[in-house]
Amino acid sequence: MSDRIRAVKGTRVLLPDEAERWAEVEAVARRVFGSYGFGEIRTPILEHTELFVRGVGESTDIVGKEMYSFTDRKGRQLSLRPEGTAPVVRALVEAGIGSWPLPQRFYYVGPYFRYEKPQKGRYRQFHQIGAEIVGDEGPLTDAELITMLMRFLGELGHADLEVLINTVGDVESRAAFRAALTAYLEPRREALSADSRRRLKTNPLRILDSKAERDAEVLDGAPRLEEHLSAASRAHFEAVVAALEAQGVAVSRRDSLVRGLDYYTRTVFEIVSAELGAQDSLVGGGRYDDLVAELGGPQIPAIGFAIGQDRLIETLPDDSPLGRDSGVDAMVVPIGEGSGTEALRLAEELRSAGLRILLDSPERGVGKSLKHADRCGIEWVILLGEDEIARREATLKELTGGEQVTVPRSELAGRLASAVDAASGVKERS
Ligand code: HAM
């Protein structure tokens, strides 16, 4: 036997049951986001590396350590997209967003790639469900976006979530803070962790959300971004928090939250869940008022978020309203070689009536067919032997209850449909 070829580290397969669940989650996203006027955007998985260097930032972990980058046959530097915002903005600038009526609202669903250490909830190919509002800078937009996000998560049954929110200020506020923070940390650099010492040069703001204990001690007396906020940034932030509170969306202010991507301005937020622990967030997002201009477009403000779909599904509560069914209503079992063709025809009739049908092979034998249906979690079996075919009948058998009735073919679809409906009604009530 040849050696087995294994999956690439950090990638996963979704088998049908799981893939169905993913599709259900995506359907809820499409419905909820659609009700807020968002339309889908699909961007390429491959982009020029330069897009992320400029958009996300050269000194970020994502660009510095985690991208899957390569040179193509013509010497172009390309990367698998590590995130969705820079590609969306790149695509919109190229499509001429400056001349469109603004604001515009987009959502996206798809795979992203980061070379991270794989563990539960962290993959090298992971998936995001994201949304972006382009062309509106008012605080109500921030509040509406976060409200939509909470509605979506609520519809999936997610309740135990905490929204962490902060402002990183506008460009001027950030520059003033960066200078003050560097001036404070420089004389204390020996006390910092190795990672933070490196960041002191490249991206000192990121030191604030370091998880290292020695950094926490140094940061205790550090200047705070809040002290350097412009009046406009402060007013924007207070208005966002007030609008969210008025909607009943509870938020926790967290002034250490700066996010790991360079494009953010003003509002930033994350959603964490007790189940994921402090290291990993379920959702990350924020404003990026300068990114459109930085990528060659006009000065257009924007805000968005991305939910980690893998984490979202792994932490769905047990009582999530999403169904778990086998995906099949009944199995047609032909009895005897001569019944095969008619069984195929019957299966087609039932599918035309909207039922989900699996056709078993007559070679298996009835006893084994029933066992097989049971293993597959199928509740109803339709037995079709030569006698039934001659009388234009079929036998409908319930696997768990063991009851069976022989009914005219003309009534079969109706009987099965009401039996399936009744069973799912009972499930919903229990
Ligand atoms: P991010 O915080 O880098 O933001 O990623 C958003 C979410 O993607 C995270 O909260 C997490 O759930 C998920 N995620 C990230 N890396 C992995 C991984 N290796 N495995 C599993 N899940 C992961 C962004 O990507 C921004 N583009 C969000 C945004 C949109 N900001 C404005 N608009």
Side-chain angles (χ1 to χ4, degrees), residues 329-333 366 369-370 373-374 378-383 395-399 416:
D329 296 321
M331 180 187 275
V332 172
V333 176
V366 185
S369 283
L370 296 181
D374 191 42
I378 298 170
E379 186 69 7
W380 298 93
V381 169
I382 295 152
L383 301 168
T395 298
L396 183 59
K397 182 176 173 65
E398 186 181 6
L399 273 189
L416 180 58

Side-chain angles (χ1 to χ4, degrees), residues 66-224:
E66 296 171 358
M67 281 214 291
Y68 279 90
S69 300
F70 63 96
T71 311
D72 80 358
R73 288 168 198 275
K74 283 274 166 67
R76 300 176 190 96
Q77 289 296 318
L78 304 180
S79 297
L80 298 182
R81 59 185 188 186
E83 65 97 49
T85 307
V88 165
V89 170
R90 196 266 315 141
L92 294 177
V93 168
E94 225 172 321
I97 182 96
S99 61
W100 298 6
L102 295 176
Q104 294 271 337
R105 301 178 157 210
F106 306 92
Y107 75 86
Y108 47 88
V109 176
Y112 295 83
F113 303 84
R114 293 184 194 174
Y115 195 89
E116 291 195 80
K117 201 172 163 43
Q119 59 186 60
K120 191 168 161 47
R122 192 178 298 162
Y123 306 98
R124 290 184 174 170
Q125 175 178 333
F126 62 99
H127 303 81
Q128 289 186 341
I129 299 178
E132 316 284 351
I133 301 179
V134 180
D136 198 323
E137 63 176 344
L140 266 190
T141 300
D142 309 29
E144 191 192 11
L145 184 80
I146 296 171
T147 306
M148 174 178 87
L149 177 57
M150 297 315 283
R151 176 191 290 269
F152 169 64
L153 295 171
E155 286 212 12
L156 297 182
H158 266 293
D160 234 0
L161 300 174
E162 193 179 9
V163 184
L164 310 177
I165 193 164
N166 191 24
T167 176
V168 292
D170 47 28
V171 177
E172 296 78 46
S173 321
R174 271 232 305 262
F177 176 56
R178 192 184 154 116
L181 186 65
T182 312
Y184 170 86
L185 289 175
E186 204 51 77
R188 298 171 173 80
R189 66 184 330 242
E190 292 315 313
L192 291 170
S193 67
D195 253 359
S196 293
R197 279 202 297 274
R198 185 174 48 77
R199 288 191 169 129
L200 195 50
K201 280 249 149 351
T202 56
N203 199 353
L205 261 56
R206 282 304 306 273
I207 298 175
L208 294 180
D209 65 9
S210 158
K211 307 283 187 295
E213 225 165 84
R214 53 189 299 179
D215 292 340
E217 280 170 31
V218 181
L219 287 170
D220 232 6
R224 295 175 39 178

Side-chain angles (χ1 to χ4, degrees), residues 359-377:
L359 175 63
D360 207 19
S361 134
E363 285 92 45
R364 203 196 287 273
V366 185
K368 286 192 175 153
S369 283
L370 296 181
K371 274 206 192 103
H372 177 61
D374 191 42
R375 279 189 69 192
C376 297

